[in-house]
Each structure stands twice: as structure tokens, then as C-alpha cells.
Amino acid sequence: QVQPVESGGGLVRAGGSLRLSCAASGRTFGMYAMGWFRQAPGKDREFVAAITWIGGTTYYANFVKGRFAISRDNAKNTLYLQMNSLEPEDTAVYYCAARYDTSGNFETAIMYRYWGQGTQVTVSS
């Protein structure tokens, strides 16, 4: 199995930037994609971005609006999320997830088998 571990969260002012990292350990061979999801208090978990592990094809939620960029370093088994122009509405716990399923539906959380514990991102106004 894969164990994702997130880092890089914190407190930032509106308009600022943060870079999240997710180190994937364990059996990463054959992993199809990784993604970022977030969950704000009182809200459902929502898709942020995903990337296929071999080809590097990226997928984004509409609300990202070009502010976020997902990337990966295969040699380090690490996933990244560069977040710019942060808004208070981006405040949430951000989760990294890994999947082996190749059937698409990158926005659907149940398609991801392994999840990290999350990292808190707080954007002040």
C-alpha cells in the first residue's frame, strides 16, 4: 500500500502563496495518479487537482482559476501543489490521495484508495 504524508500548510494572508508537498512511501509502483482534495469546516470534501503519475496529465477544479499548479517528482515520489493568490475561501484541510484505478473520474474521492492525514491551510483576510 501507499502512505501519503502531507506537509507545507500554514497561515498566510490573502493574496499570498503556499506550496504543499506530499511524500508517498510504500508500494508506489503501478500508481496511476495522485490528487489533492480539501475540506472546509461544515463542508464536504472537494476535489482540487490531480495528476497522472507517468504522463503528468493534470486536472483542476474550476475554482482554481489558474491560481494553483499541481506537479510531481517521480524520482522523489513526491506530489506538490503550488497555491498562489490565496483567498480566505481557500481555508481548509488539504488532503493528498493516491489511486491505482485508471477509469478517470479524477474529481471523485472514492476513486482514490490511499489518503494522507491532511495539512491545514488558513488564509486570513
Side-chain angles (χ1 to χ4, degrees), residues 68-125:
F68 296 179
I70 189 171
S71 62
R72 87 274 190 246
D73 184 329
N74 297 60
K76 296 181 179 179
N77 284 336
T78 301
L79 178 73
Y80 302 99
L81 184 68
Q82 177 67 43
M83 303 187 294
N84 300 322
S85 301
L86 284 162
E87 304 167 351
E89 294 73 22
D90 295 316
T91 295
V93 177
Y94 284 69
Y95 297 91
C96 166
R99 58 182 284 176
Y100 288 81
D101 190 284
T102 61
S103 60
N105 296 317
F106 291 95
E107 308 84 5
T108 304
I110 61 173
M111 304 304 292
Y112 295 77
R113 182 180 297 183
Y114 302 107
W115 291 80
Q117 294 299 307
T119 185
Q120 176 70 46
V121 171
T122 303
V123 184
S124 63
S125 57

Side-chain angles (χ1 to χ4, degrees), residues 1-16:
Q1 64 182 38
V2 176
Q3 293 88 38
V5 178
E6 305 94 338
S7 61
L11 174 64
V12 65
R13 290 186 176 181

